[in-house]
Each structure stands twice: as structure tokens, then as C-alpha cells.
Amino acid sequence: MTKNMDEYLSKNEKELESSLETNLEEGLTTEQVEEHRQKYGKNELPQGKVTPWYIIFLKTLIEPIQIILMVAAVISVIAPMITNNWQVHLEEFIDFIVIMTIVLIDSILETVQTMKARKSMDALKSLSKPKAVVIRNDMQQEIDASELVVGDVVVLEAGKYVPAELRIIEASDLMIDESILTGESVPVEKTDEPLTKQTTILAEMKNVAFMSTFTTGGRAIGVVIKTGVDTEIGKIATSINENDEESTPLEKKMAKFTMQIALLSFAIGILIFVTLFFSGNKGAWANYLMVAITLAIGVIPECLAAIISITLSFSTKRMAKENVIVKKLQAVETLGSVNVICTDKTGTLTQNKMTVKKMIMDNSILESKAYAKEKNDKHMDLFLKSLVLCNDSVTEGSERIGDPTELALVDYAEIIGYDEQDARDKWERIDEIPFDSERKMMTTVHEINGVNTTFTKGAIDNLLECCSKIMIDNVERPITDEDKKQLLAISESLSENALRVLAFAYNTNYDKEKDKDDLEHDLTFLGGVAMIDPVRDSAVSAVKSAHDAGVKVVMITGDHAVTALAIAKDLDLAHDASEVMSSEKLDAMNDDELFAIIEQIKVFARVNPEHKVRIVEALQKSGNIVSMTGDGVNDAPSLAKADIGVAMGITGTDVAKQAADVILTDDNFETIIKGVNEGRNVYQKIKRAIVFILGVNMANVISIFILSTINTVSPVEATNILWMNLIVESIIALSMGMGANDETLMKVKPIKGKNSLFRGIWFSMIKIIIFTTGATIGAYYFGMSFVDKQFLEKVVGQEKAELGWWKLLKRHDPNITMEQKIEIGDYGRTTMFMAITCAPCFYSNLIKLSHWKTSKKLHLVVNKPLWISSMGAFFLNMIVLFIPGLNDKILNLISVEQYAEHWYLVPVVFAIALTPTVAILLLDGIVFVGYHYFPEPRRRNKIILEQLIKHDEKIKKANRKPRNIEED
């Protein structure tokens, strides 16, 4: 193992050579490389545990709902065998085959989706095979970064990733972007000097280049001091891999829901068996047990697991088209439950591209777009030359190498028509003074039209001290104290609005014989630029959409509080310094103090990785479902801690992607909001399916239980219930998650805290239960009205036929067999079967939950697959009534001849099956009108209060002074 990092910070070159067993001039020999590899291992980050597909498949089979369904499948075989004296018939395995098929389909779907997400994840790895330039055997060569070992001497250049942890031994203007570790968006300057003070703070280790950070400028030579798991990025990757994967909210809810349904079905089974046993013929206990078990199984929504998988699978496909890759199906629903989104600023809310917005020209502020349209005179010509010539960045096609600030200057010059490559070829650099952090300036010398011209850029206060002249309206004149005071005031006003100011000057008195320090004296001030990483236009609308949806957006950034607040104002995210908390204040608070104030804070500035975890924990403690976005290694712990971690696919590191649940392939905040919308629709579709299945199942169980209690015999057969489950669940319910999304759900505020699957569904479910139960029992008695004396004589003989079907079904007469009672009920069974199977086909499209409260306008969402499956199920029910053998032999319904005798039976029963749909429509209409037009007093007062608050906020927003830099 390598030594602690701080042991290398203060060592000189000789001490490093001795400690690392290397030669800093010639590098390692081939033999030493092999020795060090055996000693320290390869330079590879730890990989997360890859679960084989068959283990994923087996895990899906041991989920609670799957176990219950498999037990139910076994019981569905055993129960009929008991009634048939353990004789085995093929039809007794139909239930078993259907249920097990559903279980297998669901497990296969979940396994396939998980494997697809894994492949997408692998395809996104941006740093899969980075290269490194290394000195070995006194020769420079390029190798895979994974082949590096401790003691290797590595050459760093601008535009290259740092391949391992390096102690810098030579540096020339080395600038490294460490944002993936520290969150700081501005590149930091590195040195090759040993540190005199030991430190454990990464940002203070100025002579160390960290693995996977990016070199934005300069050159350097470093020696490898740590590789793979021992690096900072490796440590975080290891901790992420060791974290136990937590269940998503949907998984927790489904586990609880499954247990509740299991207990309910068990209780119903016992209740029905006991009731039938004591009210009926005790000798028929096996038949009663069969009825009880069949109805208990009927309560269990066998297809629910498959419905969830299919709904989530359709959603993940839609989300993939919207640039969202979901690693785990259940994460989609979690996105929909989110009520707080913690997001990075750079690249997510902003464009991650410094852009020139304002110009300091002729002692005034101009818009950059307006200046670009002005006439290209002598002043502009010199100014544009200073932008591109006093600049080390390079752009060529999509290749962009250099400091973001310098790249912004080149981009702006190109807008006006200056290409940096052409300019540098035409006016070559003949001398320079590189930028350093003490002077805060950079100077280059170029021969322009035979004149050696010096261009200098830097911080405006430092630059003005070197200026003796100023150019105003194409005329050079001596600069006055009033000029300097005015320019500094302008610069300060721009800085207060989070704009970064750079000033430019020139002169033509270059003399190579003189000291270089003289280059930065007696300059002529040309002007300046003010730049910022601007917000994405889409982010502004996305933040508004989030607020409309009741989702709080919290910006977490490594930038200073002033910059963060300025961006937050542009996003309409925060407007006052009281809504911003810096890391210093956060550090001074204990967890209880943070918990007390967390809901009021909209922006966290200058944060460290450990701060992000604290913020997430405090928000979760307040009952929030928290989403965290991030791209850097430093974001990984908070991504793993959040309820839903969202990693950036373009700028995101492998560690961040590994820790996250969702990956955005376009790094856009707007995409997160699309994910929230999708998640809400997924959850709503699942709840609708639950309402539908449980409502229909409970209606059937209640109606069968009532009629069984009255008649001492079940009104339907097990095959009837099986067909009903096949039609309602396997055909209709499975298509409920395939329809279009309901955009009005983004107007419904999320419920904070515990949100049970049963919350908000009782009214819809009770409507289905009551109306369907009524229609089903009504259909049964309508069918039994066709049982005449002649029919009874055929079944039980003339003497017993005098009693009528009502008394025959209720009597405990040992001379009347169970088979005879079942045959007596053929007409009632037929009409009840028609009502049970057809009623859900009509009202399946009417199940709505909370979204109708958002507007007085009716918003219809057409689910074409549901309409098609409903109509298909209806026609299947009609067809099965008229297929000889299937209708009377298997389903125990009346024969085709009996339909011919009573031609109006079918249309009347269909009319009865329509009554729940009509009743639901009428009741929904009454509730809708009452809710929107005749609210009860308490809610009416609440509506008036909300309208007053919105009106006040609108006035306050209209009166809020906009950011106007010119006025400043």
C-alpha cells in the first residue's frame, strides 16, 4: 500500500526518488515497473459488484407478491383435488398455469430492463481507456493509464486528464480543473514547490494533481504517488460500492401493500368458509373450501406485478427518448414522488460555458451583442487583437482546449469575425510574460505591420495601475484619476452581478533589450469584458414548472454566495441573501439548527462534499423525498444518500454514474422535470390499476359472498372467476400503463411525508365496489327469473319443483345434491358472469384520481391501448357465450338453445352491466361541479386566501427591481 498523501507534500526531489524507488530523470525501468505493479496493483478504479442475470431473475421470484402468487397457484391445484377425492383433472391446472405464467413474465420483464439499463450505463462511461504519456527507460512513450504504477514519471499537457495521483516536480503555468473533486468551477493553479505546511484539505494541496481531474492549461511533469483504489477518486468509488442498496419508495409501498392484501385475502377466505360451513350443508365442506380459496385468490391482484413492470418499462423507453436513462425500474416512480430537487449550478442550470455578456468601452457599459454590430474601427481592431493574441486557448471544430475564460474571449472574437488561428498565424508571438496569480496579468508581444505591439490582459485594478493612457472614441489621451475611479466603479457594479471582469491594454514601445518587467508599464487602456456562465433558457422554464408542480429547487454550488445568488435571481429561484447559506455558516450549525432552518434555504454556496450529505439528510428528516443531481466524484456520496440520485451523462464521472439511480444524457435540468412528470404519471397509472383491479375483485368477492350466504351455494364456478381474472387483469388492466401521459399532474402538489398506495384511491375504489356489486347481484336475480317450473322438474323432479328455486337453493335437503343446486343456478350464473366480465370493460377508461381538481376544464386523456383492449375483452365475452362446449361444459353457462328461447336476456344483461358506468359518470359529474362551483365554506375560504396570496406575490414580483447593470 502507498503511504499517506501528506508524506509526499513536503518532500524535495531527492526524497521523492528515495521514497518512491524511482529516477525522476529517466523514469522506471521495465523490471521496476513489474515490481511496483506486484507491490501496488494496477491503476484501476474499483468496480461495483456485477450481479449475474440469473441472480437478478431469482431475486424477482422471491419478492413478497410473487411468493404469495406462487402459493396461490399451488393452492389452486390442491383445492379442487380435495373435492374430487384427489383425482387429477387437466382443467385443475389452468389456474396454476395462468398464475405462474404471469409470475414468470413479470420476472423476465424486470430482468431484461435491468440488463438494458446496465448496458446503457456501460456505454456512457467517458473515461473507459484514458492514455498517459510516461517516461520509462529514459524514453517518452504513451501507454494506457491503467498500466501506470507508483514511481512512474508522467508528462501532463493542456487538454489531458490526470491519469493517477501525481506529485508535481516541474510546472509551467499549470492550471487544473478540480471541479469533480472540489466543486470549484474555476481551474486552480498548481506549483512544483514542496509545501511547508501539512494539510488534509484537497484544495490546499497545490503541488498534487488528482486522478481524473482535467488539465486546462500549461505543462508539467509529475511522479505517481498513488494509483487505483488509493487515489481520492478510488476511495470514494470504494465507499460507494460498499453501500447497501436501499429500497425505493415504490418497493417499500408494494411490500407493505402485498402484506395487506395477503392478510385481507386470508381473512376473506376464512370468513367465507366459516359462513358457508355453518349456514349450509356441512357435508359439502370441501366444496365450501374450494369456494373460499377461489375467492381468496380472487382478491389477490395476480397481474399487479406485471402491470407495474410493463408500466415502468414503457416509461423508461419514453424517458430514454427524453435523454433519461433509468438504471432501476422503480426509480421512475421515486422521481414522481420528489418534492425537493437539489441541483448543481454549473452545466445543469447554466450552460457550463463562460460567455461575454457586457463590454467596458469608452468608460461606459455596452451589451456584447450591440458592440458586435458596431463599425470595426481602430479601437475595435486593437481590442479584438488583444482578445485572441493575448490568449493561450485553442478552438478547432469541436476541440476546445484552454481556460474557460480565455475560450470565452476567442468565442466572442469569432462572432465579430476574428479567427484566433488566422490571427496567430499572421501575427506570431515573439515574446510573453505568462499569467501568474500575484500579478494577475498576462502579456504577449506581436509584430503587427512592422511594429512590435504589446497586449496585456488582467484584473482591472492591477491593469489600471500600469496604464498611463486611455483610448476613447479612437483617440488616445492621458488617463486621469477620474477615469480610473469611473472604470473601477463600473467593474464593481458588474462584479456585484456575478460577472467576471477582464481588462485589456496595449503599447508599442517594446524593446527586447530591456527588462521584461518594462512590458507592463506605460500601457494604453483599451476596454474590458464582463463574462458569466449564463443560465440555460430551458432551466428558467424548468424551475418555473417545478415550482408549479410544488417541487422545491435547491441550488448547491462551489461558487461564492454573490455569484450563486445572482444566478438564482435569473432563475427566479431566490431573491434575497437570507435564502443563501454559505459553507462557513453551515459548518457553524449543528444538525438540529440546520433542520430548523433547512426549509427556508434555496441556495447553498461554497459547499464541500460532506455538506451535500448533511443537506440531503436534513431535508429527508423534514419528510421530503429528495433528488440530488451531480457529476463529480465529490457528488457520489450525496447521490447515493438521496432518495433518487441523478448523474450527468456528458460531464459526469464514472463514480457519479455508478452512485446514481438515473443518468441524464444531455446534462439539462429541464430533463429532470420531464422525469418528474413521467414519474408522477407512472405512479398515477399504477394507482389506477390498483383501483381497478381491487375494486373489481372486491365487488366480485362481496357479491359472490352475499349470494353464497343466501343460497348456501356459490353462484359462480371457479372457471368463471378464472375467466374474469383473465379478461379484467390480463387484458384490460395490463394496458392501463400504456397510454399517454396526463400533463395536468404537474399542477398537483406532491404529498409530503408518508404517501400510502391507498391514499386518494378509496373514493374511486368504493364507487366501483358498490355499483359493480349492485349490478352483479341484480344481474343474478334477473337471470334466475328465467328459472320456471318446467326447468326445475328436469333437474330435481316434479315434487321438489313445487318449492321453487329460491327454497331449493336455501334448503339443507340431503336428497338435493350440490350438483343439482349448481344446475339450478345456471341462468343466474350466466347473467352474473356476463355482468362480472362486461361491466369493467365499460368503466375501465373512467378511473380518474386527483388531477380533476386542478382545473374547471375537463381534460381527457385518451388511452388507445386501453380502449382497444376493453373493446377486445367485451367481444371475447360475447363470443364465449355462444361457443358450444365452452359455454355449457367448461364455464357451466346456459346453452345456445336456451339463448334462442330468451332472446332479450343478453341485451338486458348488457344494459345492467352498463349501469355502473352510468352511475360513476353521474356521481363524478356531481362531485366535479360541486368541487369547482359550489365549494363548502372551509375550502371556499382557503381558495380566497390562496388567491390573495398569489395576487400579493404577483405584485411583489412586478415591483421587484430587475438586475440592471447599466443603472448600477
Side-chain angles (χ1 to χ4, degrees):
M1 293 295 290
T2 56
K3 299 177 182 179
N4 292 331
M5 181 79 76
D6 55 11
E7 294 188 36
Y8 298 107
L9 301 178
S10 58
K11 292 183 183 296
N12 58 35
E13 291 187 13
K14 287 186 177 180
E15 290 171 330
L16 285 171
E17 280 187 328
S18 174
S19 177
L20 298 170
E21 300 175 354
T22 187
N23 185 314
L24 299 183
E25 293 291 332
E26 300 178 0
L28 296 172
T29 64
T30 305
E31 294 76 14
Q32 284 178 310
V33 169
E34 193 56 40
E35 288 175 13
H36 286 209
R37 184 173 290 118
Q38 294 296 326
K39 185 176 180 181
Y40 300 111
K42 294 192 74 172
N43 182 36
E44 293 178 334
L45 293 179
Q47 297 296 315
K49 296 177 183 176
V50 179
T51 308
W53 69 267
Y54 53 87
I55 298 296
I56 296 172
F57 178 76
L58 291 174
K59 282 184 176 180
T60 63
L61 292 176
I62 59 173
E63 292 174 0
I65 197 165
Q66 304 288 59
I67 292 173
I68 290 173
L69 289 175
M70 287 187 283
V71 170
V74 173
I75 293 174
S76 70
V77 173
I78 294 174
M81 290 172 63
I82 294 175
T83 61
N84 294 327
N85 296 319
W86 299 101
Q87 293 181 6
V88 180
H89 301 288
L90 180 62
E91 59 267 20
E92 288 155 11
F93 286 90
I94 296 176
D95 253 347
F96 176 86
I97 293 169
V98 170
I99 294 172
M100 290 305 297
T101 301
I102 291 168
V103 168
L104 290 173
I105 289 173
D106 172 60
S107 295
I108 291 168
L109 278 172
E110 191 167 342
T111 303
V112 168
Q113 179 58 33
T114 302
M115 297 305 294
K116 278 185 178 180
R118 181 185 292 175
K119 287 181 180 178
S120 299
M121 173 75 172
D122 292 340
L124 278 173
K125 290 187 176 179
S126 58
L127 306 180
S128 55
K129 283 192 175 181
K131 300 289 185 177
V133 177
V134 63
I135 297 173
R136 286 181 179 173
N137 300 311
D138 200 19
M139 292 174 60
Q140 186 168 302
Q141 53 188 285
E142 187 176 57
I143 63 171
D144 284 342
S146 61
E147 298 298 321
L148 285 176
V149 296
V150 172
D152 261 326
V153 179
V154 176
V155 178
L156 284 181
E157 292 180 337
K160 300 290 185 182
Y161 281 97
V162 178
E165 230 89 303
L166 306 178
R167 163 61 203 281
I168 307 299
I169 54 177
E170 288 183 28
S172 174
D173 305 322
L174 180 63
M175 302 292 290
I176 293 182
D177 179 358
E178 295 183 341
S179 58
I180 66 166
L181 277 175
T182 64
E184 176 62 62
S185 59
V186 179
V188 295
E189 187 178 12
K190 290 292 183 177
T191 178
D192 54 11
E193 296 295 326
L195 298 187
T196 56
K197 181 182 176 182
Q198 295 296 329
T199 181
T200 57
I201 300 173
L202 300 183
E204 294 180 1
M205 298 180 183
K206 297 296 185 182
N207 59 1
V208 175
F210 298 100
M211 184 177 184
S212 291
T213 57
F214 186 73
T215 308
T216 61
R219 270 178 66 88
I221 295 176
V223 59
V224 177
I225 55 176
K226 287 180 180 290
T227 57
V229 295
D230 296 320
T231 62
E232 293 302 318
I233 188 174
K235 290 174 186 176
I236 297 175
T238 301
S239 67
I240 296 301
N241 291 338
E242 290 172 354
N243 281 346
D244 292 330
E245 192 172 342
E246 291 190 7
S247 299
T248 65
L250 180 60
E251 288 173 318
K252 294 174 183 176
K253 290 172 188 175
M254 285 307 303
K256 185 177 181 180
F257 174 75
T258 301
M259 292 305 298
Q260 291 169 337
I261 292 298
L263 291 173
L264 177 65
S265 63
F266 184 70
I268 286 174
I270 292 175
L271 178 64
I272 291 174
F273 176 74
V274 171
T275 303
L276 292 176
F277 182 77
F278 285 105
S279 64
N281 183 358
K282 294 179 175 58
W285 68 268
N287 184 275
Y288 298 149
L289 178 62
M290 176 60 185
V291 172
I293 291 173
T294 303
L295 291 180
I297 294 172
V299 175
I300 299 172
E302 294 98 334
C303 284
L304 185 57
I307 290 168
I308 291 173
S309 290
I310 289 172
T311 304
L312 292 174
S313 184
F314 268 79
S315 290
T316 54
K317 286 180 181 178
R318 272 195 297 266
M319 290 175 78
K321 293 178 182 177
E322 296 287 353
N323 300 310
V324 183
I325 290 179
V326 179
K327 290 169 60 180
K328 191 175 183 182
L329 281 175
Q330 286 78 5
V332 180
E333 182 273 335
T334 312
L335 259 179
S337 304
V338 161
N339 57 356
V340 177
I341 299 176
C342 296
T343 176
D344 270 348
K345 175 184 74 69
T346 306
T348 307
L349 295 172
T350 63
Q351 297 174 16
N352 195 22
K353 181 182 177 183
M354 293 297 285
T355 305
V356 174
K357 304 296 286 185
K358 305 283 182 180
M359 313 296 298
I360 303 174
M361 199 61 59
D362 300 331
N363 285 7
S364 61
I365 297 175
L366 297 175
E367 291 285 343
S368 59
K369 291 181 180 178
Y371 181 72
K373 295 176 182 177
E374 290 193 358
K375 183 181 178 181
N376 192 342
D377 52 22
K378 176 185 175 183
H379 192 172
M380 179 182 279
D381 184 65
L382 286 168
F383 184 71
L384 292 176
K385 283 185 172 70
S386 69
L387 295 186
V388 298
L389 296 177
C390 189
N391 193 316
D392 288 329
S393 66
V394 177
T395 63
E396 190 170 345
S398 60
E399 190 75 19
R400 298 172 60 81
I401 300 173
D403 184 90
T405 302
E406 291 193 329
L407 287 167
L409 300 177
V410 169
D411 290 339
Y412 182 66
E414 284 185 352
I415 291 172
I416 302 177
Y418 255 67
D419 181 80
E420 91 274 10
Q421 297 286 12
D422 292 342
R424 292 169 191 171
D425 290 342
K426 187 175 181 181
W427 303 299
E428 292 184 5
R429 185 180 299 183
I430 59 178
D431 206 349
E432 67 178 311
I433 305 177
F435 174 87
D436 69 53
S437 54
E438 290 184 11
R439 288 169 35 255
K440 294 184 179 177
M441 291 192 296
M442 172 185 178
T443 298
T444 60
V445 183
H446 308 263
E447 184 181 338
I448 299 176
N449 300 326
V451 178
N452 290 332
T453 306
T454 300
F455 293 104
T456 303
K457 76 173 180 201
I460 191 167
D461 50 349
N462 292 46
L463 190 67
L464 284 173
E465 292 179 4
C466 303
C467 291
S468 60
K469 299 176 187 176
I470 186 170
M471 184 172 281
I472 302 286
D473 295 329
N474 280 319
V475 177
E476 286 187 29
R477 64 166 173 80
I479 192 166
T480 65
D481 290 339
E482 184 61 32
D483 289 327
K484 292 182 179 181
K485 185 178 178 181
Q486 190 176 356
L487 288 167
L488 289 172
I490 290 172
S491 173
E492 187 177 345
S493 69
L494 292 167
S495 298
E496 286 175 356
N497 286 277
L499 290 159
R500 187 176 184 185
V501 178
L502 271 181
F504 299 84
Y506 89 108
N507 70 23
T508 55
N509 59 359
Y510 171 76
D511 186 349
K512 63 181 179 180
E513 301 298 331
K514 291 186 178 181
D515 194 299
K516 276 195 176 183
D517 292 342
D518 291 336
L519 291 179
E520 294 177 346
H521 287 90
D522 195 27
L523 302 178
T524 300
F525 186 84
L526 290 171
V529 298
M531 61 186 75
I532 196 170
D533 181 7
V535 299
R536 292 176 184 255
D537 292 335
S538 60
V540 177
S541 59
V543 169
K544 185 181 184 302
S545 298
H547 290 161
D548 291 343
V551 178
K552 176 184 175 182
V553 180
V554 177
M555 187 170 79
I556 302 177
T557 177
D559 285 334
H560 291 281
V562 173
T563 305
L565 180 58
I567 294 295
K569 286 179 179 178
D570 287 343
L571 290 163
D572 200 19
L573 189 61
H575 302 281
D576 192 82
S578 62
E579 297 174 296
V580 182
M581 181 180 287
S582 64
S583 57
E584 292 84 359
K585 189 175 180 180
L586 186 59
D587 282 330
M589 288 183 169
N590 59 37
D591 289 343
D592 291 335
E593 290 171 333
L594 178 61
F595 172 72
I597 199 174
I598 192 72
E599 296 287 358
Q600 284 74 50
I601 304 301
K602 306 289 181 61
V603 179
F604 290 90
R606 301 298 285 173
V607 296
N608 292 330
E610 63 272 15
H611 294 144
K612 294 185 178 183
V613 175
R614 278 192 71 196
I615 293 165
V616 170
E617 287 176 340
L619 287 166
Q620 289 174 328
K621 188 179 177 183
S622 299
N624 296 295
I625 303 295
V626 182
S627 170
M628 169 63 78
T629 71
D631 55 4
V633 177
N634 62 323
D635 296 318
S638 54
L639 289 174
K641 182 65 181 175
D643 296 289
I644 184 89
V646 181
M648 303 298 114
I650 300 174
T651 60
T653 59
D654 291 344
V655 176
K657 293 171 190 174
Q658 186 176 327
D661 306 291
V662 170
I663 300 168
L664 307 182
T665 59
D666 63 353
D667 292 11
N668 194 339
F669 182 79
E670 183 184 27
T671 309
I672 303 173
I673 304 304
K674 291 178 182 177
V676 171
N677 183 24
E678 188 66 47
R680 290 190 177 188
N681 274 275
V682 162
Y683 193 46
Q684 200 76 336
K685 288 171 183 176
I686 290 170
K687 289 180 78 170
R688 285 176 188 168
I690 290 172
V691 166
F692 180 68
I693 296 171
L694 283 187
V696 173
N697 285 357
M698 289 303 298
N700 294 337
V701 169
I702 291 170
S703 57
I704 294 169
F705 174 67
I706 290 172
L707 292 173
S708 298
T709 304
I710 293 172
N711 298 326
T712 71
V713 63
S714 174
V716 294
E717 295 286 278
T719 51
N720 303 140
I721 296 173
L722 172 63
W723 180 267
M724 184 275 296
N725 286 346
L726 181 68
I727 291 297
V728 172
E729 295 187 15
S730 299
I731 296 180
I732 301 178
L734 283 175
S735 62
M736 296 193 100
M738 299 178 187
N741 283 344
D742 183 354
E743 299 303 322
T744 63
L745 290 178
M746 288 302 283
K747 300 294 182 183
V748 181
K749 296 190 183 301
I751 298 170
K752 191 173 178 180
K754 294 182 179 179
N755 184 8
S756 168
L757 273 172
F758 287 106
R759 186 164 188 166
I761 71 174
W762 288 108
F763 180 65
S764 296
M765 195 159 66
I766 289 170
K767 282 188 298 184
I768 291 174
I769 292 171
I770 292 174
F771 296 141
T772 307
T773 300
T776 302
I777 293 175
Y780 175 81
Y781 283 109
F782 171 73
M784 292 305 291
S785 68
F786 290 92
V787 179
D788 53 18
K789 187 177 179 181
Q790 185 179 359
F791 178 77
L792 290 175
E793 286 177 356
K794 283 173 57 180
V795 178
V796 295
Q798 185 175 0
E799 183 181 344
K800 292 188 176 66
E802 298 292 337
L803 295 172
W805 67 267
W806 180 276
K807 290 183 179 179
L808 286 172
L809 292 179
K810 285 189 66 68
R811 282 181 62 139
H812 302 307
D813 190 339
N815 295 319
I816 301 176
T817 65
M818 187 61 68
E819 287 73 17
Q820 288 176 316
K821 285 188 175 184
I822 291 172
E823 189 174 352
I824 291 170
D826 278 356
Y827 276 98
R829 183 180 309 105
T830 300
T831 52
M832 187 174 181
F833 171 80
M834 290 167 62
I836 280 177
T837 55
C838 291
C841 299
F842 300 136
Y843 59 68
S844 59
N845 286 277
L846 301 179
I847 300 171
K848 303 293 178 188
L849 299 173
S850 60
H851 72 279
W852 56 269
K853 295 180 180 180
T854 61
S855 173
K856 292 181 180 180
K857 294 180 180 179
L858 288 173
H859 182 80
L860 299 177
V861 180
V862 179
N863 186 342
K864 290 182 181 179
L866 181 57
W867 275 103
I868 293 169
S869 61
S870 298
M871 292 303 98
F874 175 73
F875 286 116
L876 272 175
N877 293 329
M878 289 187 64
I879 291 168
V880 78
L881 295 175
F882 301 102
I883 298 178
L886 178 60
N887 59 359
D888 54 352
K889 302 297 182 183
I890 296 177
L891 295 174
N892 285 314
L893 308 178
I894 60 176
S895 62
V896 176
E897 292 78 13
Q898 289 168 298
Y899 288 121
E901 293 175 19
H902 309 289
W903 63 268
Y904 57 90
L905 182 145
V906 173
V908 171
V909 175
F910 283 159
I912 294 172
L914 262 173
T915 55
T917 303
V918 175
I920 288 171
L921 276 173
L922 286 173
L923 184 57
D924 282 352
I926 293 168
V927 172
F928 182 85
V929 171
Y931 183 86
H932 287 291
Y933 296 97
F934 304 101
E936 45 91 13
R938 185 177 176 183
R939 197 171 64 82
R940 185 175 64 246
N941 293 337
K942 184 181 178 182
I943 292 170
I944 293 171
L945 181 61
E946 287 176 350
Q947 288 174 343
L948 288 172
I949 292 171
K950 284 183 180 179
H951 181 69
D952 288 344
E953 287 178 350
K954 191 175 180 180
I955 293 174
K956 193 182 295 182
K957 189 173 181 180
N959 293 334
R960 188 181 292 138
K961 188 176 180 181
R963 284 209 300 135
N964 192 324
I965 294 169
E966 282 79 356
E967 290 181 7
D968 293 337

